[in-house]
Amino acid sequence: MNNAVQNAQPAAAEVVRTARHGAVVCVTLDSPPVNALSSAVRKGLWRAIEEAEADSSVQAIVLVGQGGNFIAGADIREFGKPPVPPTLPELCKRIEVCNKPVVAVLNGAVLGGGLEIAMAAHHRIALADARLGLPEVQLGLMPGAGGTVRTPYLIGAQAALDMMLSGRHVKAQEAFDLGLVDRLVEGDNAETVGLACVRELLDQGLVVRRARDAGGLANAAEAQAAIDAAKADVAKKSRGLFSPGKIVESVQAALELPFDEAIAFERQAFLACLDSPQRAGLIHAFFSERETAKVPEARAATPRKVSALGVIGGGTMGVGITVAALDAGLPVTMVERDAEAIARGQANVEKVYDALVSKGRMSEAGKSAVMARYTPSTRYEDVRDADLVIEAVFEDIETKKAVFKELDRVCKPGAVLGTNTSFLDIDAIAASISRPQDVIGLHFFSPANVMKLLEIVVPAKASAEVVATAFDLARKLRKTPVRAGVCDGFIGNRIMAVYKQAVDGIMEDGASPYEIDEALRGFGYPMGTFQVADLAGGDIGWATRKRRAATRDPRARYVHVADRLCERGWFGQKTGRGFYLYPQGARTGQPDPEVLAILDEERDKKGIIPRKFTPEEIVRRYMAAMINEGARVVEEGIALRPLDVDVTFLAGYGFPRYRGGPMKYADMVGLDTVLADLQEFSREDPLFWKPAALLERLVAEGKKFESLN
Ligand code: T1G
Ligand code: NAD
């Protein structure tokens, strides 16, 4: 992220323009890309309001945003920097107290501080594409410019809390139904329809009308009930998040305190959120997810057109990938080995849409329209015209090479050939055909139609155009892409293999798998490592361990517990038991005393006297292993930047989002602390815990991983 460009602040006059239309002043925000409320925009808006108010010939002020959005909120890049006046709360108050009617014309993004500006205005008219929201909670923050007060005043406590705790974007019609906007207008040019509308309102006697006078909290009992329900919900669901509780407290204050005191209360709560490390983690996640697509190849080349897809293999991943592509509007031809397999593949694709129909989230006609773009087949010739083909057959190099040989034979020149392999050598697959430059790794995560992450693995011979096409496909499928180099397991699975080794060591040395999972849930994970292993199926990991046995360093510690379970056929949820028991197909596992017995047996074999591990120590070891391997992945260039490692774990491995990802977490706890942990643990096992050179260098230079982003 090149800060020089981002830090160059345009002058207020450049980003806020005013124009006179008879008795109406139109104030236009023009600060690409999304009219964020930077200090320049705030200054420009303040001046425009002051000047219009002072001009006696002005009867009304219209606020519009240029570029398809009204305002997407405060300028997130300014958080953590010294505040520059006027602050957003001050600006909102200035607009509200203006003695000329201020009308906000809403289109596109009307989010966070943008909606707060609109609520400080006296009238709100919305175009059909307006998306209104208070998504601050997704950044570890809360509305800080009157949102926790004016919103409930306008639409009541329940609707306001729903918007602020979910962060969801509300469409124009719903905003109108809620009373958040006063009028819906046709048209797509905000200035034109806005001015026409204001002239009409002036003829009808447009007056100043302030949110602080609205009666949304008049029914105190109703409001209190909504607040109490939200409090209970936050206690149950916020899983360690800081700002949701602050939002509820502020709405409570809005109900109990006079308007201006409630605004002051909100300010203190907002500043507390600003100071929380969760804000830093979540904002890092926000920007990092927008950086991973900015790769050299995407800048250097134009993507090839992809309007028809082929998928080879209709198993777990083939089905998910097909659904993701169908959901994106693409036609898909799925090829399987035989009639029985393709029938199974087709049935599993249909099952996804049948579930949506049964939940009323899709009509039968909608399902038919989607399935009309799906073609089942057992003939490779049927993907000859596909622009891009994704192979998702068994994780066996010879099977995959045979498939690529077929694709090389039938596919048109220029078709992009992708493989969904989890671990295998994509350079070897590419080298096995006549067009290695067209081969790319497209590593989806299960379920592929749900998980956001798409690891785009770039083999040595891949052309920039093919890489750019893969990133363009990710955009079409609404996936979060991360560029990875070729190595065993790429970014995610490679690092996962290492922290799983660390966890296996902790287990064999004394902690139960259930204690370890509890510690990781306490750290913020939705599921612990052993729960995830049972969900994914122990057989996949077992196959990988067997494949690696031949090349495993004989000096490396190896824990056999997982193998012992797999030898018994205990693969997890799909076999009713794994590390946990899943009686009657339960989705939540119960601790299994037989697993603990196997664990004791393995310890006895190695003469290990089990010892106690605190949750804190379990997390220190888990994170030290993850960060250390993350550093190696960056130093080897497998990941372009530390933020690519962060986004991989945020979008593909359930890493707690408010911690920003493993490398951001390392920066926040201190690289010297992580290094000290590694040095301490390496006294037990110098081979496994050897600190990465990059980590040692950054500590020596007093730098953070951030310096490499
Ligand atoms: N500040 C700074 N930059 C922003 C920004 C913002 N608020 N919103 C977007 N950008 C940049 C983004 O980094 C990217 O830059 C470009 O705009 C396009 O974004 C006091 C505390 C508006 C729905 O949380 O949800 O107000 O990568 O790729 O998919 O109460 O951006 O091109 O260099 O996402 O079309 C609350 C955050 C702030 C909204 C557009 N607002 N933005 O989505 O494009 S906190 C938000 C979004 C606040 C007050 C509080 C989305 C979008 P680059 P994009 P998009
Ligand atoms: P799966 O066993 O569920 O499905 C594989 C399918 O490929 C089977 O239906 C089989 O009939 C078909 N197939 C085999 N040989 C074929 C051929 N020559 N032509 C056409 N079809 C053929 O496996 P899966 O879990 O979907 O995994 C597929 C690939 O995706 C593997 O490389 C795996 O490592 C990778 N992957 C799996 C996951 C996961 O969580 N399951 C996640 C990411 C990547």
Side-chain angles (χ1 to χ4, degrees):
M1 297 194 247
N2 174 347
N3 295 327
V5 180
Q6 275 126 10
N7 296 343
Q9 280 301 332
E14 287 166 48
V15 290
V16 177
R17 292 193 303 276
T18 59
R20 198 60 194 263
H21 301 268
V24 178
V25 167
C26 182
V27 179
T28 302
L29 280 66
D30 187 3
S31 179
V34 291
N35 297 330
L37 293 155
S38 62
S39 58
V41 170
R42 298 194 307 271
K43 282 196 190 101
L45 251 181
W46 183 283
R47 187 179 309 142
I49 296 290
E50 295 251 302
E51 288 169 4
E53 188 182 52
D55 183 336
S56 58
S57 66
V58 172
Q59 291 178 7
I61 303 164
V62 172
L63 302 182
V64 298
Q66 188 77 24
N69 294 296
F70 178 64
I71 302 171
D75 188 335
I76 302 170
R77 293 182 193 286
E78 291 186 354
F79 291 135
K81 298 186 180 132
V84 177
T87 65
L88 201 45
E90 291 163 348
L91 177 60
C92 284
K93 183 163 184 188
R94 182 67 191 84
I95 292 172
E96 185 169 65
V97 298
C98 179
N99 60 21
K100 307 271 173 74
V102 180
V103 179
V105 184
L106 312 179
N107 64 325
V110 186
L111 303 173
L115 180 52
E116 289 172 303
I117 291 275
M119 292 190 287
H122 308 129
H123 297 268
R124 287 157 292 282
I125 55 182
L127 282 68
D129 73 342
R131 296 282 175 279
L132 293 76
L134 295 167
E136 288 86 344
V137 71
Q138 292 163 2
L139 300 171
L141 293 167
M142 57 178 279
T148 66
V149 186
R150 292 192 177 92
T151 316
Y153 270 61
L154 285 170
I155 66 174
Q158 179 157 17
L161 283 162
D162 162 55
M163 285 186 70
M164 291 186 277
L165 293 173
S166 67
R168 70 186 177 90
H169 297 181
V170 170
K171 293 186 176 155
Q173 181 63 55
E174 184 185 354
F176 177 77
D177 299 341
L178 286 171
L180 200 49
V181 302
D182 307 300
R183 182 180 287 209
L184 298 178
V185 288
E186 296 301 313
D188 50 20
N189 180 302
E191 183 174 329
T192 312
V193 293
L195 287 170
C197 192
V198 167
R199 287 198 191 94
E200 213 185 294
L201 289 170
L202 279 171
D203 296 345
Q204 297 159 4
L206 180 65
V207 295
V208 167
R209 191 189 52 157
R210 299 185 170 103
R212 63 188 298 149
D213 305 323
L217 293 175
N219 182 333
E222 179 194 81
Q224 191 59 60
I227 293 168
D228 295 343
K231 214 176 274 173
D233 218 30
V234 164
K236 217 171 45 215
K237 292 196 193 133
S238 72
R239 280 189 325 104
L241 279 176
F242 179 70
S243 68
K246 289 292 173 193
I247 290 171
V248 177
E249 287 171 21
S250 294
V251 175
Q252 182 76 62
L255 178 61
E256 292 171 354
L257 301 174
F259 184 89
D260 292 321
E261 289 175 38
I263 292 278
F265 181 98
E266 174 197 85
R267 190 66 188 162
Q268 292 316 308
F270 175 78
L271 294 174
C273 293
L274 206 55
D275 286 346
S276 128
Q278 296 187 358
R279 182 268 300 171
L282 287 161
I283 287 183
H284 172 76
F286 175 88
F287 283 122
S288 298
E289 279 164 354
R290 284 158 178 77
E291 284 301 311
T292 58
K294 299 175 185 169
V295 296
E297 295 91 348
R299 278 194 285 273
T302 308
R304 294 178 189 162
K305 193 170 70 45
V306 174
S307 48
L309 217 73
V311 173
I312 312 301
T316 309
M317 297 309 289
V319 166
I321 294 167
T322 297
V323 171
L326 290 172
D327 288 351
L330 288 166
V332 180
T333 300
M334 176 188 279
V335 177
E336 257 287 358
R337 292 181 294 171
D338 53 40
E340 188 207 341
I342 192 62
R344 192 175 49 243
Q346 177 167 7
N348 288 334
V349 170
E350 289 208 42
K351 209 192 287 176
V352 176
Y353 296 106
D354 288 337
L356 292 176
V357 171
S358 66
K359 291 184 194 136
R361 288 170 43 203
M362 178 179 256
S363 65
E364 273 298 344
K367 177 199 162 191
S368 313
V370 169
M371 290 309 292
R373 289 187 275 107
Y374 169 79
T375 306
S377 169
T378 56
R379 293 167 10 96
Y380 278 83
E381 284 68 19
D382 290 342
V383 294
R384 68 179 171 278
D385 295 326
D387 304 304
L388 188 147
V389 182
I390 303 175
E391 163 276 313
V393 303
F394 299 138
E395 184 74 349
D396 168 71
I397 191 80
E398 294 315 319
T399 306
K400 292 189 185 293
K401 282 182 177 173
V403 169
F404 271 78
K405 194 156 177 288
E406 280 297 282
L407 296 177
D408 196 15
R409 177 178 66 81
V410 301
C411 289
K412 67 181 181 182
V416 173
L417 308 178
T419 171
N420 186 52
T421 180
S422 306
F423 289 93
L424 298 174
D425 182 350
I426 303 175
D427 284 319
I429 294 173
S432 72
I433 64 168
S434 69
R435 47 177 124 177
Q437 74 284 1
D438 293 331
V439 176
I440 188 95
L442 294 171
H443 185 213
F444 290 79
F445 287 74
S446 182
N449 54 313
V450 177
M451 295 298 284
K452 292 291 283 178
L453 181 64
L454 176 57
E455 236 178 349
I456 296 178
V457 188
V458 182
K461 292 255 174 37
S463 70
E465 215 178 66
V466 165
V467 179
T469 306
F471 276 86
D472 193 48
L473 176 75
R475 188 185 52 71
K476 278 201 183 84
L477 302 184
R478 304 177 74 74
K479 296 295 183 190
T480 303
V482 173
R483 185 192 187 287
V486 174
C487 68
D488 195 337
F490 322 129
I491 297 175
N493 284 348
R494 170 178 164 175
I495 295 172
M496 179 177 72
V498 172
Y499 63 71
K500 286 187 84 172
Q501 259 179 283
V503 157
D504 284 347
I506 298 167
M507 175 175 63
E508 196 172 55
D509 289 343
S512 83
Y514 317 119
E515 286 172 321
I516 294 171
D517 277 0
E518 193 174 345
L520 296 176
R521 289 194 301 273
F523 181 70
Y525 272 101
M527 298 170 88
T529 302
F530 296 100
Q531 289 170 288
V532 172
D534 277 2
L535 178 69
D539 48 331
I540 297 181
W542 198 24
T544 306
R545 292 191 298 278
K546 284 182 192 162
R547 178 177 56 77
R548 287 184 164 173
T551 55
R552 185 175 301 118
D553 185 324
R555 300 166 302 156
R557 179 180 188 176
Y558 188 79
V559 175
H560 294 85
V561 177
D563 295 351
R564 295 290 94 86
L565 305 189
C566 290
E567 287 151 7
R568 288 169 170 78
W570 300 357
F571 295 145
Q573 287 191 17
K574 60 185 169 187
T575 56
R577 67 187 309 178
F579 280 93
Y580 294 81
L581 281 169
Y582 302 90
Q584 289 89 40
R587 301 287 301 211
T588 309
Q590 298 163 4
D592 182 350
E594 287 191 54
V595 168
L596 297 177
I598 292 167
L599 192 44
D600 286 336
E601 255 173 54
E602 291 300 314
R603 288 171 181 151
D604 293 347
K605 281 184 201 157
K606 293 186 179 177
I608 294 173
I609 309 298
R611 70 172 182 86
K612 235 18 237 117
F613 282 83
T614 62
E616 182 268 339
E617 184 185 354
I618 290 169
V619 169
R620 271 175 55 218
R621 287 172 177 265
Y622 177 92
M623 287 310 301
M626 183 187 281
I627 294 162
N628 200 35
E629 193 63 18
R632 289 205 176 91
V633 160
V634 173
E635 74 192 10
E636 292 170 23
I638 299 296
L640 284 178
R641 302 148 291 199
L643 68 84
D644 295 279
V645 175
D646 287 333
V647 173
T648 297
F649 282 87
L650 293 173
Y653 295 79
F655 193 91
R657 193 175 168 79
Y658 62 82
R659 296 187 185 279
M663 312 315 273
K664 178 65 179 177
Y665 174 79
D667 278 353
M668 294 212 272
V669 294
L671 299 192
D672 52 348
T673 303
V674 176
L675 183 58
D677 281 347
L678 288 163
Q679 289 160 343
E680 176 195 329
F681 304 148
S682 64
R683 285 196 281 276
E684 302 156 16
D685 182 345
L687 181 67
F688 179 78
W689 292 107
K690 179 177 173 13
L694 174 63
L695 183 60
E696 290 177 321
R697 179 167 65 78
L698 289 173
V699 171
E701 295 169 3
K703 288 185 177 159
K704 294 184 171 188
F705 284 124
E706 195 167 83
S707 66
L708 303 172
N709 282 339

